[in-house]
């Protein structure tokens, strides 16, 4: 009977230790993912603001350099430049941009595993205002933050 109780006690201790290890691992992972979120946002904002500054200065080559190559898989660089020309034609020259908000997520599933930061900006053009949403991505492996998605919403597209 005492041997049986020692056996049950040993099993219970091992079970509790395994649960403690799992909890510690999950806590460490949560801390790892949470830490650096301010830094992640700051670096993503640097990329977005480099884009806006390049567009403001009409330097399309520099603006294109902050986009990920995968952005241009679904559209050509020439087409993208033509789109920027249409934006300039309809909304006017870019005057200013103000950061509004951000959110981030981490994906662990390859091939797109990495950190994604979605940034929302209020943007003033010469003739109209817009809200621009940029998704900036940094792969886990190597690489820098680059823009992978860019959405522009403005009533100016409907008026011009």
């Amino acid at each position: 009977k005492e041997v049986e109780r020692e056996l049950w006690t040993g099993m219970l201790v091992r079970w509790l230790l395994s649960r403690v290890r799992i909890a510690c691992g999950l806590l460490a992972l949560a801390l790892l993912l949470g830490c650096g979120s301010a830094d992640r946002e700051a670096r993503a904002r640097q990329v977005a603001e480099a884009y806006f500054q390049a567009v403001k200065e009409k330097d399309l080559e520099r603006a294109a350099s902050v986009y990920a190559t995968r952005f241009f898989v679904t559209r050509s660089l020439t087409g993208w430049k033509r789109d920027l020309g249409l934006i300039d034609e309809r909304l006017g020259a870019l005057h200013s941009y103000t950061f509004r908000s951000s959110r981030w997520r981490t994906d662990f599933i390859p091939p797109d595993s990495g950190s994604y930061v979605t940034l929302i900006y209020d943007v003033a053009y010469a003739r109209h205002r817009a809200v621009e949403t940029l998704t900036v991505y940094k792969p886990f492996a190597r690489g820098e933050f680059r823009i992978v998605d860019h959405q522009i919403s403005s009533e100016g597209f409907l008026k011009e």
Side-chain angles (χ1 to χ4, degrees), residues 71-82:
F71 181 85
F72 295 108
V73 168
T74 58
R75 69 194 56 76
S76 69
L77 179 59
T78 304
W80 175 79
K81 287 179 180 178
R82 189 173 45 247

Side-chain angles (χ1 to χ4, degrees), residues 1 7 10 13 24 28 32 42-43 48 50 57 60-61 63 78-79 82 106 116 119 129-130 142 150-151:
K1 188 154 184 138
L7 181 63
V13 167
C24 287
L32 179 66
R43 289 189 290 149
E57 295 169 6
L60 300 186
E61 295 303 319
T78 304
R82 189 173 45 247
T106 301
Y116 292 82
L119 305 164
R129 301 190 66 74
R142 281 183 248 156
H150 187 171
Q151 304 293 319

Side-chain angles (χ1 to χ4, degrees), residues 136-157:
V136 185
Y137 164 74
K138 181 188 180 305
F140 280 143
R142 281 183 248 156
E144 295 298 318
F145 276 99
R146 295 282 182 246
I147 298 170
V148 293
D149 188 53
H150 187 171
Q151 304 293 319
I152 303 173
S153 175
S154 175
E155 290 182 8
F157 291 128

Side-chain angles (χ1 to χ4, degrees), residues 22-141:
I22 291 170
C24 287
L26 290 174
L27 179 62
L29 181 62
L31 289 173
L32 179 66
L33 292 177
C35 290
S37 63
D39 179 54
R40 190 180 353 234
E41 179 188 304
R43 289 189 290 149
R45 284 180 64 180
Q46 285 176 342
V47 170
E49 292 175 12
Y51 160 78
F52 285 123
Q53 196 59 40
V55 168
K56 194 173 185 179
E57 295 169 6
K58 308 267 189 221
D59 186 346
L60 300 186
E61 295 303 319
R62 194 176 67 188
S65 74
V66 297
Y67 280 80
T69 53
R70 79 181 210 199
F71 181 85
F72 295 108
V73 168
T74 58
R75 69 194 56 76
S76 69
L77 179 59
T78 304
W80 175 79
K81 287 179 180 178
R82 189 173 45 247
D83 290 345
L84 285 181
L86 288 171
I87 292 166
D88 193 56
E89 183 181 302
R90 297 231 173 129
L91 304 182
L94 190 147
H95 278 210
S96 65
Y97 49 92
T98 306
F99 174 72
R100 184 197 289 179
S101 65
S102 72
R103 62 184 180 275
W104 65 271
R105 75 177 197 277
T106 301
D107 284 355
F108 294 100
I109 301 169
D112 299 325
S113 56
S115 296
Y116 292 82
V117 182
T118 301
L119 305 164
I120 300 173
Y121 283 84
D122 292 317
V123 183
Y125 288 91
R127 291 191 295 278
H128 298 283
R129 301 190 66 74
V131 174
E132 300 198 26
T133 304
L134 296 95
T135 301
V136 185
Y137 164 74
K138 181 188 180 305
F140 280 143

